[in-house]
Amino acid sequence: MFYNLPTSLYCESDCILAHAGDIASFGKAAYIITGKSSSKRNGSLDDIVNVLKKYSIEFKIFDNVEENPSVENVMEAVAYCGDFAPDFVIGIGGGSPLDASKAVSLMLANIGSDSSLLYNGIKADYLPVVTVPTTCGTGSEITPYSVLTNHIQKTKSSIPHKIYPALALVDPVYLEAAPVNIIRNTAVDALGHLIESYIHSKATTLSRMFSEKGLRMWRNITSYIKNDSFTAKQYEELILASAIAGMAISHTGTSLPHRMSYHFTYQDSIPHGVAVGAFLAAYIMYSDNNEQKYVLETLGMSSCDELRNFIRSVTETITIPEADLHDCIEFVISNKSKVASCPYEVDYEIVKKMYEYSVIIK
Ligand code: NAP
Ligand code: FE
């Protein structure tokens, strides 16, 4: 059994300031990678900038990370860095800027390489990455994954490089600025990570330490996630559950619901958590009886139908044109490693049934 989680993580209020020395230990120049506006509104960017100024660390900011960042968007950030030579990269925001920051750190440690480096799978250096999450879903602050939109493949996929952030600073206060739909959608992504990691070919006693704990936390989260506002304690639980879910998938990876989600995000711009959430109940439905029972009971649910309806009530029901269905099923079953990640046998017919159960086909 293997265990490796090399990211230092603080999860507490004011952790950027409290651990400013840890940030400063990475060097004298930082490249900040963030989204267009949310980090300016929720205070996370100011908190980082204040620490960098206090320690006389030079910095440059790229604030144009798009949602579901593409390879081109990453290369835009690399080009914008220009002659500025950072010692480390700081990603601030939801999973999109955090994933982009990992890819940028790889490119900046290999100046002269073109974007093919991202997907070539040959082990390569990367600059240290500091992450500051401001959503409560991806766990990207602690995972080694960087999921990019790949317009050549017309889908999203993780780059093969495993880029563990060096330091994650998780402060629930930044969630307070997020609209309730972003909280709900991203929280459902974290639930997906917990379920997919628990029901996974690579699940071990150690990975399940995380998924089991996160699922127990989710029993409580189900009692308030549909509310229109949240308490400070609830924001803390949401962002911690998300980080714990990230610890779980760091060991196992995700499985079929993530693969099934990519079509909807790429074609229809359905938010990641919504697209993943649609397939969770179906994924559980075909799993081993004991695993299915454990997940449902831990969440306080009595059936897959109850879980599916609950997730639909937190997010939304999604639709697919009948003409796209065949290609979607092929896209799932053609990925041998994703199929292998599922601990039960899947074929064309099972995946078709999973779509029929999960989305509206018309
Ligand atoms: P996101 O795409 O990072 O952000 C979605 C939206 O939320 C953006 O408009 C963003 O605004 C806004 N936002 C972020 N934080 C906010 C806050 N505190 N207050 C108000 N608005 C806020 O969403 P995400 O769901 O966190 O990340 C999705 C990406 O992560 C996908 O590409 C997915 O594939 C990937 N992912 C990665 C992993 C992993 O392990 N690496 C796991 C699962 C998913 P701005 O653009 O202005 O910042
Ligand atoms: Fe995800």
Side-chain angles (χ1 to χ4, degrees):
M1 211 182 302
F2 180 64
Y3 176 90
N4 179 37
L5 207 54
T7 305
S8 299
L9 179 138
Y10 296 100
C11 183
E12 60 208 23
S13 296
D14 300 322
C15 59
I16 288 180
L17 197 56
H19 303 290
D22 294 42
I23 301 172
S25 72
F26 294 110
K28 284 310 218 184
Y31 191 29
I32 298 175
I33 303 293
T34 190
K36 290 190 174 68
S37 64
S38 68
S39 63
K40 298 181 186 92
R41 282 183 279 119
N42 63 34
S44 51
L45 182 60
D46 277 349
D47 287 351
I48 282 289
V49 164
N50 289 339
V51 162
L52 299 180
K53 285 181 177 163
K54 183 172 161 202
Y55 280 84
S56 303
I57 296 170
E58 277 185 85
F59 63 90
K60 185 163 181 171
I61 303 174
F62 177 80
D63 60 359
N64 199 31
V65 177
E66 59 200 23
E67 289 183 40
N68 306 297
S70 60
V71 170
E72 292 77 8
N73 193 206
V74 166
M75 296 313 289
E76 183 193 339
V78 172
Y80 184 75
C81 193
D83 292 337
F84 183 69
D87 299 309
F88 63 111
V89 176
I90 305 177
I92 309 175
S96 296
L98 303 193
D99 284 8
S101 70
K102 295 173 196 172
V104 168
S105 83
L106 175 78
M107 293 308 304
L108 291 180
N110 296 278
I111 293 290
S113 299
D114 63 28
S115 64
S116 63
L117 172 71
L118 292 168
Y119 279 98
N120 75 6
I122 298 167
K123 206 171 182 309
D125 289 340
Y126 52 88
L127 300 181
V129 179
V130 176
T131 50
V132 180
T134 67
T135 60
C136 52
T138 70
S140 181
E141 64 273 14
I142 191 136
T143 72
Y145 311 122
S146 171
V147 185
L148 301 181
T149 296
N150 189 318
H151 290 301
I152 295 170
Q153 294 175 1
K154 291 196 169 16
T155 188
K156 298 174 61 176
S157 59
S158 294
I159 63 171
H161 303 271
K162 299 278 180 279
I163 302 172
Y164 282 98
L167 174 65
L169 296 161
V170 183
D171 187 335
V173 80
Y174 305 130
L175 293 183
E176 290 179 16
V180 77
N181 66 317
I182 287 184
I183 298 288
R184 289 182 189 150
N185 294 348
T186 61
V188 168
D189 183 26
L191 175 62
H193 298 159
L194 294 167
I195 290 173
E196 290 173 55
S197 180
Y198 185 83
I199 302 173
H200 199 289
S201 306
K202 291 189 191 156
T204 66
T205 303
L206 292 170
S207 71
R208 283 188 169 167
M209 261 175 15
F210 300 109
S211 50
E212 288 172 0
K213 173 65 187 166
L215 287 168
R216 288 198 296 277
M217 291 169 83
W218 255 88
R219 190 188 184 101
N220 190 43
I221 291 172
T222 58
S223 71
Y224 62 77
I225 192 67
K226 285 199 256 175
N227 293 354
D228 290 331
S229 61
F230 307 101
T231 64
K233 218 166 171 295
Q234 289 167 344
Y235 283 124
E236 192 180 333
E237 182 171 55
L238 285 164
I239 209 159
L240 183 58
S242 171
I244 289 173
M247 294 171 193
I249 57 166
S250 289
H251 284 86
T252 57
T254 56
S255 190
L256 299 185
H258 268 69
R259 182 79 180 165
M260 295 169 93
S261 78
Y262 292 153
H263 166 86
F264 297 91
T265 302
Y266 188 79
Q267 295 289 338
D268 307 328
S269 302
I270 303 280
H272 176 69
V274 179
V276 167
F279 298 102
L280 295 178
Y283 184 62
I284 294 173
M285 193 151 67
Y286 293 97
S287 67
D288 168 90
N289 275 346
N290 290 330
E291 293 182 353
Q292 178 183 134
K293 195 160 170 267
Y294 176 83
V295 172
L296 290 172
E297 277 182 10
T298 308
L299 292 172
M301 310 258 173
S302 59
S303 66
C304 290
D305 284 2
E306 188 182 347
L307 177 63
R308 179 187 62 176
N309 296 340
F310 170 78
I311 291 173
R312 285 181 173 181
S313 69
V314 175
T315 57
E316 59 185 284
T317 307
I318 57 180
T319 303
I320 185 172
E322 192 158 10
D324 290 358
L325 191 57
H326 171 73
D327 285 352
C328 284
I329 298 168
E330 287 291 342
F331 175 75
V332 173
I333 59 173
S334 65
N335 187 306
K336 301 286 171 249
S337 74
K338 270 292 188 240
V339 168
S341 74
C342 178
Y344 53 88
E345 216 163 294
V346 276
D347 57 18
Y348 190 97
E349 280 312 309
I350 296 242
V351 175
K352 185 163 182 251
K353 284 187 186 147
M354 289 169 83
Y355 275 101
E356 286 165 350
Y357 182 75
S358 306
V359 299
I360 295 170
I361 302 169
K362 59 177 189 190

